[in-house]
Structure formats: C-alpha cells, structure tokens
Amino acid sequence: MGYEIFNCGLDMLDELDEFYDRVNEHLENTINYPHWRRGEYPGRESIREAIESGSQYICMADGRIAGAFVLNDDPGGDYGAGEWRVPLSCGEYMIIHTLAVDPELGGRGIGGEMVRYCIDKAKNDGYKAVRLDVVPTNTPACRLYEKEGFLFAGEKDLGRGYEDIPTFLLYELNL
C-alpha cells in the first residue's frame, strides 16, 4: 500500500471530520488512550482551525484517509517545563499533534510513516527538533514515538487546565 502525505485544504474538511469521528467512535468503543472527546476534540472546529493555519496533514492510501496529524511550532502549553536534552526556544522545534490512524488500517506502519514525514519536514524546514506530548495512559503512542527514536523528556503539567489530564509525557527528537 502506497501512502501520500500532504497538507490539506478546506476542501477536505468534511472527509477529515468524518475520519476523526470514526477514530473517536472506535476509541469510545475500545480504550480511549488519548482521552479525545467525540464531537469536541478533535472536532470540526479544531480541524478547520488547523487547516486554515496550514498545519493539518493527511495520509492517503487507496483513495481514502488512512491517517492524519497536525504539525506546527505551537506547543499549546508550557513546553518550558520539559526536561529537554537540548534547550531550544519556541519556534526552533516543530510539534506533532492529534496524530491518528484509521482503526481499520492499524498495524500497517501508517503511524510510523507519518512520524517520519514530520521528522523529514522539520529537517527540511530548518527546525532543530521535533517535540510532542502524550497523555500518560497512551501507551500505543509512546511505543510508536520511542520506536521512531524519540526520547522521554519528563512528565509535566503543561498548564492546559484539563482536569482529567493534569500531566503529559514529553518526547523529543533532536535533529
């Protein structure tokens, strides 16, 4: 199966909203590792904002969305709290957000393909690292990022104000 990863436009909003809705439905019916909320996050408005800011990407396979993620340089929280190996200022690193794979296509390497795309894009765009945060119970995400070479950088409160997620696991890959 060949994958095509690209930055998407508003013409993909409906399809992407349906994709994340299917992912959230699956999470509701199994284990909601990232603590996403169907109809809330990721939801139509957060997807629209990501598309409009130019940070929403999709991975297509055989004419359908196989995965999606947001890639930008906005941590959306206090990344200064991290135990980073290399001290960097905001704007010197990219952050992966909201990475998801179609539940029907899991186990085919799509997540790794998207993470490697993010790493390559960050390198090509002159960033010094790729960083991200993960809900502490999201063991599948932790395994994926560690497999791709990311290193643990602490468990911290990022000041996001989520009662059900007081801390996040931080990961970094220095380029």
Side-chain angles (χ1 to χ4, degrees):
M1 179 181 294
Y3 307 115
E4 180 185 8
I5 300 174
F6 57 92
N7 188 264
C8 70
L10 282 173
D11 60 320
M12 297 292 296
L13 177 61
D14 290 338
E15 193 173 348
L16 198 51
D17 186 35
E18 290 170 14
F19 165 79
Y20 276 117
D21 191 60
R22 279 194 319 277
V23 169
N24 276 326
E25 181 179 24
H26 173 77
L27 292 170
E28 282 179 358
N29 294 324
T30 57
I31 300 171
N32 190 348
Y33 291 107
H35 292 231
W36 290 351
R37 292 172 186 86
R38 192 170 181 196
E40 291 179 35
Y41 186 83
R44 189 171 189 83
E45 284 313 304
S46 65
I47 297 165
R48 176 188 300 279
E49 288 171 13
I51 291 172
E52 288 176 344
S53 72
S55 61
Q56 181 70 61
Y57 291 79
I58 57 173
C59 175
M60 297 292 288
D62 297 328
R64 68 186 267 198
I65 297 176
F69 59 91
V70 171
L71 182 65
N72 61 30
D73 59 9
D74 178 7
D78 181 14
Y79 265 41
E83 299 165 16
W84 310 111
R85 283 162 183 77
V86 177
L88 298 173
S89 298
C90 199
E92 292 185 295
Y93 53 88
M94 292 197 93
I95 302 103
I96 301 172
H97 308 273
T98 325
L99 188 134
V101 173
D102 186 318
E104 294 177 12
L105 300 175
R108 298 182 189 186
I110 297 167
E113 206 54 49
M114 292 189 296
V115 171
R116 288 186 295 278
Y117 177 92
C118 293
I119 294 166
D120 290 344
K121 178 152 181 48
K123 282 181 188 174
N124 292 337
D125 289 353
Y127 287 90
K128 297 177 181 176
V130 178
R131 294 179 175 175
L132 56 98
D133 55 87
V134 178
V135 172
T137 56
N138 194 346
T139 52
C142 294
R143 281 194 302 267
L144 168 64
Y145 295 121
E146 289 168 4
K147 180 180 175 187
E148 295 301 328
F150 283 77
L151 300 174
F152 180 70
E155 180 172 348
K156 301 294 179 181
D157 178 352
L158 300 178
R160 291 182 176 153
Y162 302 131
E163 286 184 27
D164 60 332
I165 315 169
T167 61
F168 291 84
L169 305 180
L170 299 173
Y171 284 89
E172 68 180 327
L173 180 71
N174 293 303
L175 305 175

